[in-house]
Amino acid sequence: MRNLAEAGGGPLPVAEPAPVPAPVPASASVLKRGRVARGVWLAIGLLLVGLGFVGIFVPLLPTTDFMLLALPCFARSSPRLEAWLLGHPRFGPALRAWRDSRAVPRHAKALACAGMAFGFAMFCIHVHPHALSAGVLAAFLLFWATWIVRRPEPGEQG
């Protein structure tokens, strides 16, 4: 079917402009983005708690470290899960001590240093690294062992 202009019978039809959607208020876009961000933080937190749970059964996989990493994820996504972690009978005291004063219990310091020493020994026994590689790794582990040992203990006045 031909329109009138093509047939020579009148002016071209004028198309009406498409309706412009109403602008989205900034708060709505932030809210939408906030929901997505909260979902991502929640997923990361749950993944970290899952890895921490696996660490209960797998030697040398740090459980408390994963719980420490999950805590800020839940703080950004789920106050209920954050409160659950902080109130947990096993992990709660260490998490609260870290959050309040960056404190590490003495037994955790000893276990961390022993774990690093054991891991370094296993590395040297099984890999037979060059002296430079072993020295670099030893310096790296010594740095972190020193950092851990220098953290205050819960209840210490710092």
Side-chain angles (χ1 to χ4, degrees):
M1 201 187 265
R2 303 177 99 196
N3 66 23
L4 293 175
E6 291 176 26
L12 289 173
V14 177
E16 291 184 27
V20 177
V24 177
S27 61
S29 64
V30 170
L31 181 61
K32 184 175 182 183
R33 201 171 345 137
R35 286 183 185 147
V36 171
R38 282 193 307 271
V40 169
W41 283 117
L42 180 64
I44 293 170
L46 291 172
L47 174 69
L48 290 167
V49 168
L51 288 171
F53 181 73
V54 171
I56 293 170
F57 305 103
V58 177
L60 300 180
L61 188 62
T63 300
T64 304
D65 295 355
F66 287 118
M67 299 302 176
L68 279 170
L69 292 170
L71 195 59
C73 296
F74 290 149
R76 290 171 175 82
S77 63
S78 173
R80 185 174 58 91
L81 288 173
E82 179 189 23
W84 172 76
L85 264 184
L86 288 171
H88 193 276
R90 172 76 175 121
F91 306 113
L95 296 175
R96 287 190 303 275
W98 179 257
R99 175 180 267 185
D100 295 342
S101 59
R102 300 294 189 245
V104 178
R106 184 173 295 173
H107 73 276
K109 292 177 184 184
L111 286 173
C113 291
M116 285 188 272
F118 179 75
F120 181 71
M122 290 295 104
F123 172 74
C124 289
I125 290 169
H126 294 292
V127 176
H128 306 290
H130 294 289
L132 180 63
S133 300
V136 168
L137 181 59
F140 179 79
L141 293 174
L142 185 61
F143 170 83
W144 287 111
T146 303
W147 185 85
I148 289 169
V149 169
R150 293 185 53 146
R151 298 295 96 207
E153 293 180 16
E156 271 186 10
Q157 297 297 331

